[in-house]
Amino acid sequence: MNAAHAPALTLTAVPGLEVGHDTDPRRPTGCTVVLCREGATAGVDVRGAAPGTRETDLLAPENTVPHIHGLLLSGGSAFGLDAASGVMRWLDEQGHGFAVGPVRVPIVPGAVIFDLLVGDGRVRPTADSGYRACERASSAPVEQGCVGAGAGATVGKLFGPSRAMKGGVGSAALHVGPWVVGALVVCNAIGDVVDPCTGQLIAGARVSPQGLELANTVQTQLSGGAVANALTGGNTTIGVVGCNARLTKSQAKRLAQVGHDGWARSIRPVHTPLDGDTLFALATARVNEEPDMMLLSTLAAEVVALATVQAVRQAQDLRLGEAWWPAARDVIT
């Protein structure tokens, strides 16, 4: 897939979902919010071994809370989870939340990426960042690239950050019959990104810090190449797959599980001990008929792969002092 054939639809094509970004002007970091003001059934599947998450236990099918009202994806590592407080404050002011007697409690799960080594790591998303992202949220097509939670994202880091490339936010959606399935991905993987439509390696570890030749992380490992400077927890791809179906919490969890297949097709290696790969699923129940889980599962994996490719295709290169993270557009003519 090249830029001319980029997906025309994004996650906001799913009725009931809105997306907003807040990008910090002081350094490349920020947060991205997915709002489902009327509530959405949600599930989650965590497959990386170094996750940073919030409110994921309540999404288990056996647990009580039936819906969530917002979802936070953030930079700043564990510090970035603070941005969810701002999302809760905004939703509370708007009157959204889980009714508990006379009060309402907005339910806002979240996940973070590690971007603290891109610029001044003392600058992190805060509760105010989350609040601003909510104020900017809309059903317009999702802004992609180096914005929001993807502002400081990088990919291809198994051989150290100096040989990495720029990641970012990507989104895509597909419409088949009555079903609309979309995804938003913040790609900050330790692995390389591959276009599954062509098999082409499009972003990842480079042979040298100042060059544009891609090293091919998996092939280098298989050839016995030395791995040095890999940072535990310094990576992670996070995202959400959404649909307009009426799903149970068990079905939403299944959608999150099969959505990871999209990452298996587009990130190599993926789900590593050094990543915290986490995928949420949302169902807005705008179509009331029996869900076609076979088709929805196929669509989920497809849109996650497409959104992951978009995350690096839409990114721009970044220079901070002597550090340089080129983008996929710099490699591919």
Side-chain angles (χ1 to χ4, degrees), residues 35-98:
L35 295 180
C36 31
R37 304 188 197 206
E38 298 175 17
T41 305
V44 67
D45 189 30
V46 181
R47 297 200 186 178
T53 59
R54 162 200 160 101
E55 296 275 47
T56 51
D57 282 353
L58 62 80
L59 301 181
E62 68 272 17
N63 289 339
T64 303
V65 175
H67 301 106
I68 72 168
H69 307 93
L71 181 68
L72 171 75
L73 305 175
S74 183
S77 189
F79 297 105
L81 292 171
D82 185 42
S85 298
V87 182
M88 288 188 68
R89 174 159 54 93
W90 187 89
L91 286 165
D92 182 40
E93 291 175 0
Q94 302 298 314
H96 303 295
F98 179 61

Side-chain angles (χ1 to χ4, degrees), residues 20-48:
H21 300 297
D22 182 68
T23 307
D24 199 306
R26 298 171 294 172
R27 84 160 179 98
T29 193
C31 67
T32 298
V33 170
V34 181
L35 295 180
C36 31
R37 304 188 197 206
E38 298 175 17
T41 305
V44 67
D45 189 30
V46 181
R47 297 200 186 178

